[in-house]
Amino acid sequence: MAWQASQRGLEVAVIDDPTPSSSSRVAAGLVTPITGDRLALSWRWSEFYPVCKALYEYAQRSTATDFWHVAAAWRVFQSDPERERFFHRWWSEEGNREMKANGIALEPMPAEQLLPIHAPRGGFSMWPAGRLDTRAYLDATAKHFRSKDRWFPFQLDCDEDLELAPGHVRVPRLGLQGGKVVLCQGIAARTNRWFTELPLHPARGDILELATDASIPAVVHHEAWVVPVQSASEPNDHSRCRRILVGATYDRQCLDTSVDHSTARGFRNELLQRWNNMLSAANPSAGIHDPNDRDDLNGSYKFEVGVLGHLAAVRPASYDRHPLIGPHPTEPNLFCLNGLGSKGSLMAPQLANLLLDCMLENRIIEPALQWSRRGDKPRGSDDSQIKSHRSPKR
Ligand SMILES: Cc1cc2nc3c(=O)[nH]c(=O)nc-3n(C[C@H](O)[C@H](O)[C@H](O)COP(=O)(O)OP(=O)(O)OC[C@H]3O[C@@H](n4cnc5c(N)ncnc54)[C@H](O)[C@@H]3O)c2cc1C
């Protein structure tokens, strides 16, 4: 939001309590054209992708840092019907036309090409797929706005600290005055009075950082997704190991961010199990087991330990999985940008644009994005689908 506003020449102040367990800091930052069981094009891909790409490139140039990478990602078929769906949906004249129209390229990949990943049915590569290193992006953003005295690492009490009056907004505790304020609080939006009606339907996600001796050349979507973080050898005991991220779980019952309780250990084991299932039998030494979970191994360690980290956060998802943006019903200078769910990296830049159009030019936010579309029926049956199907979630 801050980058888009400053690109339009607006003066911006960013107030953020930079908690390490915010959804954005934990996220893998994947931007993927084909997602879900149906192998459908990601919602409004051709609208969102060019805007996010341009924004992250601009932010990289402005901060002289490197946090946005575009490359092909791999997806491995999980079943024969999924494989057939791919060829039926995309490997046809019409599929080809649709690829061209949306600026994507999908190529089937045989099992051998996907090694060391276990892929008896093969898979496909998709291009372009992006990855935003979200922590590096947020750190560079903070540094950039701090250098302009426009960064305030501060926990705002939105009920007490925000003074809204016709024509201006003030935050007396920080000595700030401006024309408008946008609350981009993720699930913390529930903790103050302004947008308590937001139809948020949060979902916890866990990811693991692992060291492995398997060489993973691309982002792979399998039973879980895996992201190679560093291909060079680590200067530590794991002399041949590479760092990878494996994720993510999706849970709507446990909504804290602790990784120490038994539910969290269950999520960790689930991810380790999925990672082990992803590896080809030809490469067994890449398997990793968690030293804290002796039960899993009947008391013996089969492979070298490689769990470097376990992180969890709560995604600010909505009931219908669409974003929640727009003005406050009675305070004309107050807006929200929320409901980014599992696709913040892809959607946020264009949503910020649409919100700026609304703030500056009084453009109407379309109903599919309007936060106050409470009339939309919560998809109760969705929850059971999410819990039962095993494809990875971002
Ligand atoms: C495990 C996991 C994996 C994910 N992977 C992906 C992925 O691969 N790709 C993708 O696009 N998305 C992914 N996501 C989702 C992504 O994280 C979210 O879509 C997005 O980051 C939400 O951003 P946000 O700014 O709305 O909320 P948040 O990231 O929660 O940020 C809100 C910020 O507001 C601050 N704040 C709130 N209230 C106050 C206050 N009163 N005063 C000061 N500061 C305040 C918080 O401290 C926080 O810094 C993933 C999420 C999880 C949990």
Side-chain angles (χ1 to χ4, degrees), residues 15-17 19 22-24 26-30 154-156 158 184-186 188 205-207 248 313 315-316 340-346 394:
I15 304 169
D16 184 40
D17 174 20
T19 158
S22 75
S23 191
S24 301
V26 170
L30 301 178
F154 183 81
Q155 166 117 43
L156 203 67
C158 296
C184 314
Q185 291 184 274
D206 290 53
I207 63 173
R315 303 170 181 88
L340 297 177
S342 299
K343 292 194 177 173
S345 308
L346 172 64
R394 261 169 257 111

Side-chain angles (χ1 to χ4, degrees), residues 45-56:
W45 170 264
S46 57
E47 174 189 356
F48 290 143
Y49 179 72
V51 180
C52 85
K53 178 175 181 287
L55 191 271
Y56 298 137

Side-chain angles (χ1 to χ4, degrees), residues 122-141:
F124 64 94
S125 75
M126 41 187 157
W127 189 93
R131 178 173 182 243
L132 180 69
D133 179 342
T134 54
R135 269 176 270 173
Y137 167 64
L138 291 172
D139 290 344
T141 299

Side-chain angles (χ1 to χ4, degrees), residues 230 232-239 241:
Q230 197 174 339
S233 296
E234 294 271 350
N236 58 22
D237 288 345
H238 308 282
S239 56
C241 287

Side-chain angles (χ1 to χ4, degrees), residues 56-243:
Y56 298 137
E57 286 172 354
Y58 170 76
Q60 281 196 147
R61 281 196 306 277
S62 307
T63 58
T65 28
D66 185 25
F67 43 71
W68 167 246
H69 305 111
V70 178
W74 299 352
R75 171 141 172 185
V76 174
F77 297 128
Q78 298 297 303
S79 65
D80 290 333
E82 186 180 291
R83 186 174 188 281
E84 278 157 31
R85 209 172 306 133
F86 170 79
F87 284 101
H88 182 254
R89 170 82 171 74
W90 291 106
W91 215 241
S92 61
E93 245 178 63
E94 199 192 322
N96 218 355
R97 265 200 303 278
E98 206 181 330
M99 282 191 229
K100 281 209 180 98
N102 289 289
I104 62 165
L106 309 178
E107 278 287 332
M109 292 177 78
E112 317 80 74
Q113 241 180 300
L114 287 153
L115 286 170
I117 301 296
H118 179 60
R121 299 175 188 86
F124 64 94
S125 75
M126 41 187 157
W127 189 93
R131 178 173 182 243
L132 180 69
D133 179 342
T134 54
R135 269 176 270 173
Y137 167 64
L138 291 172
D139 290 344
T141 299
K143 195 171 164 200
H144 175 81
F145 286 99
R146 199 184 305 123
S147 73
K148 300 177 181 317
D149 290 330
R150 286 284 174 260
W151 178 261
F152 300 85
F154 183 81
Q155 166 117 43
L156 203 67
D157 179 338
C158 296
D159 290 328
E160 296 295 322
D161 288 330
L162 273 183
E163 273 184 25
L164 302 171
H168 71 262
V169 177
R170 293 199 318 162
V171 183
R173 263 220 280 176
L174 296 175
L176 289 172
Q177 174 160 330
K180 300 188 191 303
V181 63
V182 184
L183 296 182
C184 314
Q185 291 184 274
I187 53 153
R190 293 177 148 190
T191 58
N192 56 69
R193 69 190 142 117
W194 299 111
F195 289 98
T196 44
E197 299 292 305
L198 274 184
L200 285 171
H201 196 34
R204 170 176 164 139
D206 290 53
I207 63 173
L208 297 181
E209 186 176 345
L210 304 178
T212 177
D213 52 5
S215 171
I216 308 293
V219 170
V220 183
H221 299 262
H222 198 293
E223 272 194 35
W225 48 248
V226 56
V227 177
V229 176
Q230 197 174 339
S231 56
S233 296
E234 294 271 350
N236 58 22
D237 288 345
H238 308 282
S239 56
R240 288 185 56 243
C241 287
R242 297 156 170 89
R243 285 198 301 133

